[in-house]
Amino acid sequence: MQLADFSTNTTGRLVPTQGCWAFVPNPLPPPLSLSWELVEQLSKADRGLSELAGVARTLPNPHLLIEPFIRREAVLSSRIEGTQASLSDLLFYEASGGLTSPVSDAKEVLNYVWALEYGLKRLQELPISLRLVKEIHGCLMEGVRGENLTPGEFRRVQNWIGPPGCTIVDATYVPPPEPEMKEALWELEKYLHAPSNFPPLIRLALFHYQFEAIHPFLDGNGRIGRLLLTLLLCAEELLPQPLLYLSAYFERHRREYYRLLLAVSQSGEWSEWVIFFLTGVAEQSRDAISRSRRLLDLWQEYRHQFQSAGASGKLLQLVDDLFAYPAITVGGSATRLDVTPRSAKKNIDKLVNENILVEATGRQRNRLFVAPEIIKILESPEG
């Protein structure tokens, strides 16, 4: 980390650590000026989020969209950190109990799903706090790469960010040393619960930068930082259901994402970062609305098809289940529907005959079935 890159900065201060310099961000809020461009992007983001909230309030069954959207977010957020697992890999891995995916990253992505679901459940009894952040990190890192790096605990040693294999001297960015890190985290928690004149979405942009700048864990900081955005949208009651995720936008503009975070630290470029963040909220709100409508249209088509044919309640329940879990096994469906395996297989066979499900393994035992039209909507490109 070059001292000259931070010489004119007012966002934080540099402190010596291990023969080099580390950056300590100032407590929030910063002196942010509201340009017309920023105000325009805030208006677009608020409008998109309000429309998405309207869609969420009309859902006949929120889990039809929440579960698949969480899994899509898990894949894309993890991909920013270098994992290779696709949504199909994750769905196959989860449905088979960890037996079918040849991609070792699938377990890491599934941990993201569990961590996000855990955080959403805990929000019902615990506000977003340092305690909750540590609990979520423990879920994220359990049994995967980095599990030896104190999961569920803030770091007690210095870390740094840079090209693979670089030393702290050659690092692109060095976060605060442990004592300053602890103080910065307490200040961040205080900011979350203090009154503010900033609009909620701008506060989220500020929070995300601050968390990434503090970098409080030895591994998993990026994923936790993005996961917390979803929790904050719900905790701040900006959305009634967790349907907005920004990882697709950050992954699509990965270089710009990292450049702008660093630019805040180096030269106080708050406005550029906040505008980028708000643009992502607007874009991903539109994408979530479009994807939600396509999934709901498909769900209504399937329901009408089988209701007209006088289908049983369990078959209709299985159709609903597909939208939450578009890759299934006979055993898994039997458990979720509370029926015998034989009954579950009969209902699955009916959906196979209607081309709603297809068998994906080619085996006679331990077969796995997927709903290609649902997966196609989830995996389709943005826009």
Side-chain angles (χ1 to χ4, degrees):
M1 201 166 85
Q2 299 299 314
L3 182 63
D5 293 337
F6 295 79
S7 60
T8 60
N9 178 45
T10 58
T11 307
R13 69 186 194 277
L14 295 174
V15 298
T17 181
Q18 299 183 17
C20 61
W21 297 96
F23 181 77
V24 182
N26 292 334
L28 298 176
L32 178 67
S33 57
L34 299 181
S35 65
W36 282 114
E37 183 182 6
L38 193 153
V39 170
E40 180 185 18
Q41 288 303 323
L42 176 61
S43 175
K44 290 180 179 178
D46 278 335
R47 191 162 59 246
L49 201 60
S50 295
E51 187 176 350
L52 179 58
V55 171
R57 291 188 185 98
T58 62
L59 293 176
N61 179 354
H63 289 282
L64 292 176
L65 299 183
I66 291 173
E67 296 295 341
F69 276 31
I70 285 176
R71 281 151 181 78
R72 185 171 183 271
E73 161 68 7
V75 168
L76 294 171
S77 185
S78 301
R79 189 175 295 167
I80 296 174
E81 306 302 322
T83 63
Q84 301 299 314
S86 67
L87 179 60
S88 293
D89 292 327
L90 171 62
L91 295 172
F92 288 8
Y93 183 86
E94 187 175 14
S96 67
L99 299 177
T100 62
S101 176
V103 182
S104 60
D105 294 337
K107 167 61 175 168
E108 292 187 36
V109 181
L110 184 57
N111 273 19
Y112 189 100
V113 173
W114 291 343
L116 183 49
E117 291 178 337
Y118 176 87
L120 289 166
K121 184 177 180 180
R122 285 289 273 158
L123 274 184
Q124 300 171 16
E125 54 196 34
L126 186 69
I128 293 183
S129 58
L130 298 183
R131 173 185 169 186
L132 179 57
V133 169
K134 290 196 292 184
E135 289 180 9
I136 294 169
H137 185 262
C139 293
L140 181 73
M141 304 305 297
E142 183 180 357
V144 296
R145 291 179 302 172
E147 67 170 334
N148 60 322
L149 301 176
T150 61
E153 297 294 335
F154 295 129
R155 59 181 167 87
R156 292 184 288 272
V157 297
Q158 184 65 63
N159 59 352
W160 60 88
I161 302 170
C166 77
T167 66
I168 190 172
V169 176
D170 302 319
T172 306
Y173 178 78
V174 181
E178 185 196 7
E180 289 85 353
M181 177 205 76
K182 289 180 177 178
E183 183 178 351
L185 284 171
W186 284 117
E187 290 290 343
L188 182 58
E189 185 179 63
K190 283 166 52 180
Y191 176 73
L192 268 182
H193 302 294
S196 174
N197 292 326
F198 280 128
L201 287 178
I202 291 182
R203 278 169 54 85
L204 259 64
L206 304 182
F207 172 87
H208 186 67
Y209 160 77
Q210 195 80 351
F211 184 86
E212 298 303 324
I214 297 170
H215 233 62
F217 298 109
L218 290 177
D219 194 14
N221 291 283
R223 284 167 289 170
I224 291 293
R226 291 184 288 275
L227 186 156
L228 287 172
L229 290 175
T230 300
L231 299 187
L232 283 165
L233 284 166
C234 295
E236 298 281 339
E237 299 183 347
L238 298 175
L239 280 176
Q241 303 292 344
L243 294 179
L244 181 72
Y245 301 93
L246 292 177
S247 290
Y249 175 76
F250 292 153
E251 204 274 334
R252 198 161 62 250
H253 304 283
R254 189 184 310 190
R255 288 187 179 180
E256 190 75 348
Y257 172 54
Y258 287 133
R259 183 189 73 79
L260 290 172
L261 287 173
L262 185 60
V264 176
S265 300
Q266 290 182 336
S267 52
E269 296 292 340
W270 281 107
S271 292
E272 193 175 1
W273 158 249
V274 172
I275 289 169
F276 173 82
F277 182 91
L278 295 173
T279 302
V281 172
E283 287 190 13
Q284 293 311 123
S285 293
R286 290 194 297 269
D287 180 79
I289 291 166
S290 172
R291 240 175 262 274
S292 297
R293 287 173 175 164
R294 291 164 62 194
L295 285 169
L296 286 172
D297 286 347
L298 186 63
W299 173 73
Q300 289 172 344
E301 177 186 327
Y302 287 169
R303 292 278 299 192
H304 177 73
Q305 177 179 343
F306 289 105
Q307 283 175 331
S308 299
S312 68
K314 289 297 181 181
L315 181 57
L316 293 174
Q317 190 178 341
L318 177 58
V319 169
D320 291 353
D321 198 50
L322 289 180
F323 286 82
Y325 304 98
I328 61 173
T329 62
V330 170
S333 292
T335 299
R336 283 196 292 272
L337 298 178
D338 192 23
V339 297
T340 64
R342 183 168 179 238
S343 177
K345 183 180 182 302
K346 286 177 62 177
N347 283 319
I348 287 174
D349 287 343
K350 291 176 183 178
L351 297 185
V352 170
N353 291 336
E354 296 295 330
N355 297 317
I356 290 174
L357 283 176
V358 297
E359 205 285 317
T361 65
R363 299 194 298 254
Q364 293 301 312
R365 296 175 60 84
N366 300 318
R367 296 192 298 170
L368 189 145
F369 302 85
V370 299
E373 289 301 315
I374 297 174
I375 294 176
K376 181 180 177 182
I377 293 172
L378 294 171
E379 290 190 322
S380 63
E382 299 290 314

